[in-house]
Amino acid sequence: MKTTFRLLMMFVAATTVMSTAALAQERATFTKDVAPILQERCQVCHRAGTSAPMSLLTYQEARPWAKSIKAKVLAREMPPWFIDKNVGIQHFSNDISLTDQEIATLVKWVDDGALQGNPADMPAPRQFPDGQVWQIGKPDLTVTLPKDVIVKATGPDWWPDILVDPGLTEDRYVQEIQIIPTKGYQVIHHIRTSIVKPDEDNTKLSGATDGNVDLEVGEQGVFLSEYAIGKGPDAFSDGAGRLIKAGNKINFQFHIHPNGKETPTNVILGLKFYPKGYVPLHTITSQTTPAGIIDLRPNEANVRSDGYMPLIKPARLLSFQPHIHIRGKAECMEAIYPNGKREMLNCARFEFNWMVNYVYADDAAPLLPAGTILHTIVWHDNSTGNKSNPDPDAQITWGSRTVDEMGHAWLSWYYMSDEDFKKETEARKAKQQKTLTSTLTQ
């Protein structure tokens, strides 16, 4: 009997030791489980020398922010990706959102005590090309303002146009573009860059820019790219691009909002080119959809406005970027086809400090026949429930100032011939059918 009891106790003890070991092994650690996620999804911004409020390169840097990390990823506020995952297209080439499994891992790490783990499990540090946050890799050409724009501490919103010569001596097609504020990030609402022909360069400033004399000013020209708070790069799929010709200049149009202290401001534009001699099949068009009537009455939390834009030829839609101001809540975009059919393409929650450009993956970019109407639906929140709202008792209408409101989308697309549209549509259907057949036979 005693022997049986001792054997039983030994079995229980062994089981307890095994269970404890298994539990310890199952605990998420920074070095093994969390660091790879942060390297892949977060560190491009969360490191020294960027606009992010903290670095997340090491355990010592990340550990004090553990509870905040859990809260932000559970709310899907970080990384900044606000597409509704239950509506419309879900495949984007620049999707930085966390998977459900990645969120679960980060939450488990925090709940398990935010342990460091074995230092030997730590992956090699991620290497970045330089001090700038180049998500496009090292650019082939960078362009900056020849001198800082000095923004006064107080005053009205300001929209200076500044012309810069990039020094191009040959025609080149652009495949990727990124604009990064290097100084004065806090006062920049957006920057619009345009390509200006030499014969359009005919005016100069004469002291009107409050200390920035001798900077050239020009017409906006042909659209190149747009930066808004929190926006990443523009990348074009093979076969599509923007052309900058030898001798062209680049106009930087700023929207500046003074923030209470004098602020030197500058920016760097990075361009990656297609190989020399390469001519893409398609030239990309970008413009904003017309905004509907905006009239936000005091303390209204759910105000809708609608805009409509027709496509005069068959088109491939490349990207969708909601553009609203501080009372923005959400935006959707639907396609109204010539036969009357309606398809909701996407919906996105809106955060003013993150004006994300959602770039469709090649095999998911909408193929839209001529006569399609792109319909944008925008919602504003002018109530106390909007944490960004400076004055819920104010009536707000459309305007260009930051304290006014807007409600449209930046869209990029290229038009296609009827023949090319038919070929791409048939190829897309064939691929989808093949995928469906493969799935059903598995």
PDB file of all heavy atoms in Angstrom, residues 29-42:
ATOM      1  N   THR A  29       7.438  35.597 -24.955  1.00  0.00           N
ATOM      2  CA  THR A  29       8.567  36.428 -24.540  1.00  0.00           C
ATOM      3  C   THR A  29       8.877  37.458 -25.625  1.00  0.00           C
ATOM      4  O   THR A  29       8.530  37.283 -26.793  1.00  0.00           O
ATOM      5  CB  THR A  29       9.830  35.585 -24.285  1.00  0.00           C
ATOM      6  OG1 THR A  29      10.267  34.998 -25.521  1.00  0.00           O
ATOM      7  CG2 THR A  29       9.565  34.505 -23.248  1.00  0.00           C
ATOM      8  N   PHE A  30       9.561  38.502 -25.208  1.00  0.00           N
ATOM      9  CA  PHE A  30       9.909  39.562 -26.146  1.00  0.00           C
ATOM     10  C   PHE A  30      10.871  39.045 -27.210  1.00  0.00           C
ATOM     11  O   PHE A  30      10.665  39.250 -28.408  1.00  0.00           O
ATOM     12  CB  PHE A  30      10.537  40.738 -25.400  1.00  0.00           C
ATOM     13  CG  PHE A  30      10.898  41.891 -26.299  1.00  0.00           C
ATOM     14  CD1 PHE A  30       9.960  42.859 -26.607  1.00  0.00           C
ATOM     15  CD2 PHE A  30      12.168  41.999 -26.849  1.00  0.00           C
ATOM     16  CE1 PHE A  30      10.277  43.912 -27.463  1.00  0.00           C
ATOM     17  CE2 PHE A  30      12.498  43.046 -27.697  1.00  0.00           C
ATOM     18  CZ  PHE A  30      11.551  44.012 -28.006  1.00  0.00           C
ATOM     19  N   THR A  31      11.927  38.369 -26.766  1.00  0.00           N
ATOM     20  CA  THR A  31      12.985  37.987 -27.708  1.00  0.00           C
ATOM     21  C   THR A  31      12.503  36.997 -28.761  1.00  0.00           C
ATOM     22  O   THR A  31      12.887  37.093 -29.930  1.00  0.00           O
ATOM     23  CB  THR A  31      14.177  37.385 -26.946  1.00  0.00           C
ATOM     24  OG1 THR A  31      13.713  36.299 -26.128  1.00  0.00           O
ATOM     25  CG2 THR A  31      14.851  38.439 -26.079  1.00  0.00           C
ATOM     26  N   LYS A  32      11.659  36.074 -28.357  1.00  0.00           N
ATOM     27  CA  LYS A  32      11.240  35.016 -29.283  1.00  0.00           C
ATOM     28  C   LYS A  32       9.975  35.369 -30.061  1.00  0.00           C
ATOM     29  O   LYS A  32       9.864  35.091 -31.266  1.00  0.00           O
ATOM     30  CB  LYS A  32      11.019  33.707 -28.523  1.00  0.00           C
ATOM     31  CG  LYS A  32      10.704  32.519 -29.424  1.00  0.00           C
ATOM     32  CD  LYS A  32      10.589  31.238 -28.612  1.00  0.00           C
ATOM     33  CE  LYS A  32      10.308  30.042 -29.519  1.00  0.00           C
ATOM     34  NZ  LYS A  32      10.195  28.778 -28.731  1.00  0.00           N
ATOM     35  N   ASP A  33       9.008  35.986 -29.407  1.00  0.00           N
ATOM     36  CA  ASP A  33       7.681  36.158 -30.004  1.00  0.00           C
ATOM     37  C   ASP A  33       7.364  37.588 -30.432  1.00  0.00           C
ATOM     38  O   ASP A  33       6.732  37.807 -31.467  1.00  0.00           O
ATOM     39  CB  ASP A  33       6.605  35.696 -29.008  1.00  0.00           C
ATOM     40  CG  ASP A  33       6.822  34.270 -28.549  1.00  0.00           C
ATOM     41  OD1 ASP A  33       6.708  33.370 -29.393  1.00  0.00           O
ATOM     42  OD2 ASP A  33       7.112  34.065 -27.356  1.00  0.00           O
ATOM     43  N   VAL A  34       7.781  38.564 -29.640  1.00  0.00           N
ATOM     44  CA  VAL A  34       7.362  39.949 -29.860  1.00  0.00           C
ATOM     45  C   VAL A  34       8.305  40.705 -30.787  1.00  0.00           C
ATOM     46  O   VAL A  34       7.862  41.421 -31.693  1.00  0.00           O
ATOM     47  CB  VAL A  34       7.223  40.679 -28.507  1.00  0.00           C
ATOM     48  CG1 VAL A  34       6.958  42.166 -28.703  1.00  0.00           C
ATOM     49  CG2 VAL A  34       6.100  40.042 -27.687  1.00  0.00           C
ATOM     50  N   ALA A  35       9.604  40.565 -30.585  1.00  0.00           N
ATOM     51  CA  ALA A  35      10.571  41.321 -31.391  1.00  0.00           C
ATOM     52  C   ALA A  35      10.381  41.125 -32.896  1.00  0.00           C
ATOM     53  O   ALA A  35      10.433  42.110 -33.657  1.00  0.00           O
ATOM     54  CB  ALA A  35      11.999  40.958 -30.975  1.00  0.00           C
ATOM     55  N   PRO A  36      10.136  39.888 -33.397  1.00  0.00           N
ATOM     56  CA  PRO A  36       9.922  39.738 -34.845  1.00  0.00           C
ATOM     57  C   PRO A  36       8.723  40.531 -35.361  1.00  0.00           C
ATOM     58  O   PRO A  36       8.755  41.069 -36.471  1.00  0.00           O
ATOM     59  CB  PRO A  36       9.698  38.229 -35.020  1.00  0.00           C
ATOM     60  CG  PRO A  36      10.390  37.603 -33.851  1.00  0.00           C
ATOM     61  CD  PRO A  36      10.183  38.567 -32.730  1.00  0.00           C
ATOM     62  N   ILE A  37       7.662  40.631 -34.555  1.00  0.00           N
ATOM     63  CA  ILE A  37       6.478  41.395 -34.966  1.00  0.00           C
ATOM     64  C   ILE A  37       6.803  42.885 -35.005  1.00  0.00           C
ATOM     65  O   ILE A  37       6.459  43.592 -35.956  1.00  0.00           O
ATOM     66  CB  ILE A  37       5.301  41.124 -34.011  1.00  0.00           C
ATOM     67  CG1 ILE A  37       4.902  39.649 -34.060  1.00  0.00           C
ATOM     68  CG2 ILE A  37       4.107  42.010 -34.365  1.00  0.00           C
ATOM     69  CD1 ILE A  37       3.849  39.264 -33.037  1.00  0.00           C
ATOM     70  N   LEU A  38       7.483  43.375 -33.977  1.00  0.00           N
ATOM     71  CA  LEU A  38       7.832  44.792 -33.937  1.00  0.00           C
ATOM     72  C   LEU A  38       8.769  45.158 -35.087  1.00  0.00           C
ATOM     73  O   LEU A  38       8.638  46.233 -35.682  1.00  0.00           O
ATOM     74  CB  LEU A  38       8.486  45.141 -32.597  1.00  0.00           C
ATOM     75  CG  LEU A  38       7.633  44.937 -31.336  1.00  0.00           C
ATOM     76  CD1 LEU A  38       8.402  45.408 -30.106  1.00  0.00           C
ATOM     77  CD2 LEU A  38       6.297  45.664 -31.443  1.00  0.00           C
ATOM     78  N   GLN A  39       9.694  44.268 -35.407  1.00  0.00           N
ATOM     79  CA  GLN A  39      10.614  44.545 -36.519  1.00  0.00           C
ATOM     80  C   GLN A  39       9.860  44.650 -37.837  1.00  0.00           C
ATOM     81  O   GLN A  39      10.131  45.524 -38.658  1.00  0.00           O
ATOM     82  CB  GLN A  39      11.679  43.442 -36.608  1.00  0.00           C
ATOM     83  CG  GLN A  39      12.734  43.515 -35.527  1.00  0.00           C
ATOM     84  CD  GLN A  39      13.857  42.522 -35.753  1.00  0.00           C
ATOM     85  OE1 GLN A  39      13.815  41.692 -36.658  1.00  0.00           O
ATOM     86  NE2 GLN A  39      14.889  42.590 -34.919  1.00  0.00           N
ATOM     87  N   GLU A  40       8.919  43.763 -38.032  1.00  0.00           N
ATOM     88  CA  GLU A  40       8.189  43.712 -39.302  1.00  0.00           C
ATOM     89  C   GLU A  40       7.161  44.828 -39.428  1.00  0.00           C
ATOM     90  O   GLU A  40       6.981  45.407 -40.500  1.00  0.00           O
ATOM     91  CB  GLU A  40       7.487  42.356 -39.434  1.00  0.00           C
ATOM     92  CG  GLU A  40       6.625  42.193 -40.662  1.00  0.00           C
ATOM     93  CD  GLU A  40       7.421  42.159 -41.954  1.00  0.00           C
ATOM     94  OE1 GLU A  40       8.629  41.860 -41.896  1.00  0.00           O
ATOM     95  OE2 GLU A  40       6.845  42.448 -43.025  1.00  0.00           O
ATOM     96  N   ARG A  41       6.486  45.176 -38.316  1.00  0.00           N
ATOM     97  CA  ARG A  41       5.314  46.034 -38.401  1.00  0.00           C
ATOM     98  C   ARG A  41       5.490  47.432 -37.812  1.00  0.00           C
ATOM     99  O   ARG A  41       4.730  48.333 -38.159  1.00  0.00           O
ATOM    100  CB  ARG A  41       4.135  45.371 -37.672  1.00  0.00           C
ATOM    101  CG  ARG A  41       3.778  43.985 -38.151  1.00  0.00           C
ATOM    102  CD  ARG A  41       3.196  44.010 -39.537  1.00  0.00           C
ATOM    103  NE  ARG A  41       2.583  42.725 -39.870  1.00  0.00           N
ATOM    104  CZ  ARG A  41       2.004  42.467 -41.025  1.00  0.00           C
ATOM    105  NH1 ARG A  41       1.939  43.393 -41.960  1.00  0.00           N
ATOM    106  NH2 ARG A  41       1.470  41.271 -41.256  1.00  0.00           N
ATOM    107  N   CYS A  42       6.449  47.611 -36.910  1.00  0.00           N
ATOM    108  CA  CYS A  42       6.443  48.836 -36.110  1.00  0.00           C
ATOM    109  C   CYS A  42       7.722  49.674 -36.197  1.00  0.00           C
ATOM    110  O   CYS A  42       7.668  50.896 -36.093  1.00  0.00           O
ATOM    111  CB  CYS A  42       6.189  48.498 -34.635  1.00  0.00           C
ATOM    112  SG  CYS A  42       4.743  47.449 -34.351  1.00  0.00           S
TER     113      CYS A  42
END
